[in-house]
Amino acid sequence: MPNELTQTLPIELISQAQYDSYTSRWITLLNEEDGTGDLKAYFYKGVFKLMAVHFDVDAIEYLVSSEATTTIKARFCITTDNEGKDLFNIILFGTDKNGGITTAYFLGTPIPQQLGTGLPQCQLPSNLGELWLEKWADNKVFISRERFRNMFGYLQGYNFPLEDFIDAAFKYKCSVLSVSFALHELYRPNVTDVNTPTFTFNLVLQGIRANGEKDPSTIDVADGLYDISAPSPPY
């Protein structure tokens, strides 16, 4: 069995005003330069590409324990780290069956790919989730705004059933929940040219442990994948 993490991630709660500010920075960014610019700067920490946003499992426990929560929403944002670097990030919160907010806002920790590491080693029932993760890892140069657009507009995030977070984080007694980055490859309606697929950014939930002797950003074991969610917009 792998060692538990010797370091824990911070649990950072943010206010409504901070939530509005961080998410509006993401929406503003998508609409700059008529949506044609490169987002690479927000997905790299130095020379390392961001592969996920991590949340300590204690934060997930608080998140899923709130009364009446049926859905966990992941919303995209831009935050500034302690070195002054603006990075893509994710905020998690819960809602009830009517869409009312039932939890605090939890801000994650962006995690770059480390030198010498590749994809997380996933235990998959099929290779579909692994393929989606690999497509993001292979997209090394240009990160287009079009990766964050669906038929309804620019992506603001994804919604997951509450059970996905419970299973991903607690089924195998994991130490961290990784919200990992993926790309779906698909064809939009009325497309007839097989050489013009669309790639859309997506999220994969992975309950993980890390070897205590290594940097906790290095994923050693992934205990399950949860990768079917509802995009916002339209949901």
Side-chain angles (χ1 to χ4, degrees):
M1 295 292 292
N3 296 324
E4 297 291 340
L5 283 170
T6 57
Q7 296 174 266
T8 58
L9 294 171
I11 298 176
E12 185 170 356
L13 303 181
I14 62 172
S15 67
Q16 182 68 54
Q18 289 173 304
Y19 172 87
D20 293 340
S21 174
Y22 298 160
T23 55
S24 68
R25 291 181 70 187
W26 170 249
I27 299 300
T28 300
L29 179 65
L30 289 174
N31 286 283
E32 289 179 351
E33 303 175 33
D34 297 323
T36 61
D38 188 357
L39 299 178
K40 179 180 178 180
Y42 300 92
F43 286 88
Y44 275 79
K45 177 74 170 176
V47 299
F48 300 116
K49 183 179 183 180
L50 297 187
M51 302 297 287
V53 172
H54 283 186
F55 294 85
D56 189 272
V57 73
D58 287 344
I60 305 304
E61 178 187 351
Y62 301 139
L63 188 67
V64 303
S65 296
S66 296
E67 302 91 334
T69 300
T70 61
T71 301
I72 304 298
K73 296 189 175 183
R75 290 297 177 263
F76 303 156
C77 66
I78 300 294
T79 56
T80 304
D81 69 9
N82 55 13
E83 298 176 0
K85 170 69 173 171
D86 289 341
L87 292 172
F88 178 84
N89 206 339
I90 289 174
I91 300 166
L92 297 180
F93 62 97
T95 62
D96 62 23
K97 64 180 182 180
N98 298 315
I101 296 176
T102 57
T103 73
Y105 293 115
F106 292 80
L107 184 66
T109 301
I111 300 297
Q113 180 184 33
Q114 297 296 296
L115 188 64
T117 67
L119 294 174
Q121 299 302 305
C122 304
Q123 297 177 356
L124 299 173
S126 71
N127 67 353
L128 183 58
E130 187 176 21
L131 289 173
W132 290 341
L133 291 168
E134 185 176 352
K135 289 180 189 297
W136 173 257
D138 288 344
N139 183 35
K140 297 188 186 326
V141 181
F142 187 76
I143 301 178
S144 166
R145 284 164 173 78
E146 290 305 307
R147 301 285 191 265
F148 301 91
R149 184 194 291 273
N150 64 18
M151 293 187 294
F152 305 96
Y154 284 124
L155 287 169
Q156 299 175 33
Y158 283 91
N159 303 337
F160 292 84
L162 176 70
E163 293 78 9
D164 282 2
F165 272 77
I166 293 174
D167 287 346
F170 301 105
K171 187 175 182 180
Y172 297 99
K173 298 182 180 179
C174 297
S175 300
V176 168
L177 181 74
S178 176
V179 184
S180 298
F181 303 161
L183 282 181
H184 287 190
E185 184 175 7
L186 53 103
Y187 292 98
R188 297 290 186 211
N190 301 315
V191 171
T192 58
D193 184 355
V194 296
N195 296 313
T196 57
T198 296
F199 293 88
T200 303
F201 183 80
N202 213 295
L203 301 175
V204 174
L205 303 181
Q206 298 174 286
I208 64 169
R209 298 181 187 184
N211 187 329
E213 297 178 355
K214 296 183 180 180
D215 188 304
S217 64
T218 302
I219 297 175
D220 281 352
V221 176
D223 290 310
L225 279 176
Y226 297 83
D227 45 30
I228 301 299
S229 54
S232 174
Y235 302 103

